[in-house]
Amino acid sequence: MARLTIQLEGTNVGPVDLNWGITRVGRGPENDVVISHPSVSTCHCEFELGLDYLAVRDCGSTNGTFINGQMIKEARLDPGQTLQLGHVPVAVEWSRDQVSVPVIEAPKVSASVDLGEGVLSCVKHETAPAIWSCPKCNVYLCPACTRDVHLVGRLPRRLCSNCSAPVDLAPWVDAHMRKKSLWSRIKKTFSRTTRM
């Protein structure tokens, strides 16, 4: 932020805040800042305020624009420098203080975690193994993240709690069930042979 205080004889005009970008100063009513003094030209100068700089540009004035007593056509202003438009001294206040912008962390995207042996976790519960797969949401879910629907005269269905689409068994559940059933067959066969 920057502001000008126009110091005419015996009176102070301002402070006037400068706009971001260009602020035009002069005697004419079309300017952003009007200084009614004969030494100030109709369109005297313009200020450019950026994020980390303040520049002043003379617009071909009759009596000139001065920084620290030196006539300039265009220059950057440093904090504490004196400015004069024609015979009118102007106090300029501005600083290069950094604006602190808070760091906003993006929300964590839920994803399944590998629990080992080809088993993934539920998308909402990282420690719970997923048993169900939603083909519509393309996520893996634990039993707590699905719901059973029992309609009279129909087979019960399990639905995704996010989109209400029917869910399928996760691929590793089917593989574990097959392994289990194979093992149970071997176990049964082995127990029969030991009895005989």
Side-chain angles (χ1 to χ4, degrees):
M1 188 168 116
R3 59 174 54 114
L4 302 177
T5 303
I6 293 93
Q7 300 170 327
L8 293 171
E9 283 182 27
T11 61
N12 285 344
V13 178
V16 178
D17 289 333
L18 295 176
N19 301 325
W20 288 105
I22 304 294
T23 303
R24 289 179 178 80
V25 179
R27 199 173 65 236
E30 69 277 1
N31 293 291
D32 300 308
V33 179
V34 177
I35 304 174
S36 299
H37 192 270
S39 69
V40 175
S41 295
T42 305
C43 183
H44 196 94
C45 67
E46 59 186 22
F47 291 90
E48 183 179 350
L49 178 61
L51 286 176
D52 61 349
Y53 70 92
L54 176 62
V56 61
R57 191 174 303 113
D58 188 83
C59 296
S61 65
T62 305
N63 295 309
T65 302
F66 301 85
I67 295 178
N68 291 343
Q70 297 290 319
M71 185 182 274
I72 57 102
K73 288 290 179 195
E74 184 173 346
R76 288 195 176 202
L77 281 165
D78 290 322
Q81 288 184 314
T82 60
L83 180 68
Q84 188 172 321
L85 308 179
H87 301 297
V88 178
V90 178
V92 181
E93 298 174 46
W94 82 284
S95 67
R96 287 193 175 116
D97 291 341
Q98 295 291 326
V99 177
S100 62
V101 178
V103 176
I104 300 171
E105 292 185 23
K108 182 183 174 188
V109 177
S110 298
S112 294
V113 177
D114 187 0
L115 299 176
E117 297 182 19
V119 177
L120 295 178
S121 73
C122 172
V123 72
K124 295 181 181 178
H125 306 100
E126 290 183 358
T127 56
I131 296 174
W132 302 101
S133 167
C134 177
K136 188 174 179 183
C137 296
N138 199 24
V139 293
Y140 296 108
L141 305 164
C142 66
C145 294
T146 60
R147 54 190 168 92
D148 281 330
V149 176
H150 300 278
L151 298 173
V152 177
R154 293 189 182 176
L155 292 173
R157 295 189 318 168
R158 188 168 288 268
L159 304 177
C160 173
S161 60
N162 295 331
C163 67
S164 297
V167 292
D168 302 323
L169 280 173
W172 51 87
V173 173
D174 193 32
H176 281 292
M177 289 175 85
R178 269 191 250 123
K179 283 182 186 175
K180 192 173 182 182
S181 61
L182 178 65
W183 175 247
S184 62
R185 276 191 256 148
I186 293 170
K187 198 173 176 183
K188 280 183 184 177
T189 306
F190 186 70
S191 64
R192 284 182 191 160
T193 56
T194 53
R195 285 184 198 164
M196 293 181 180

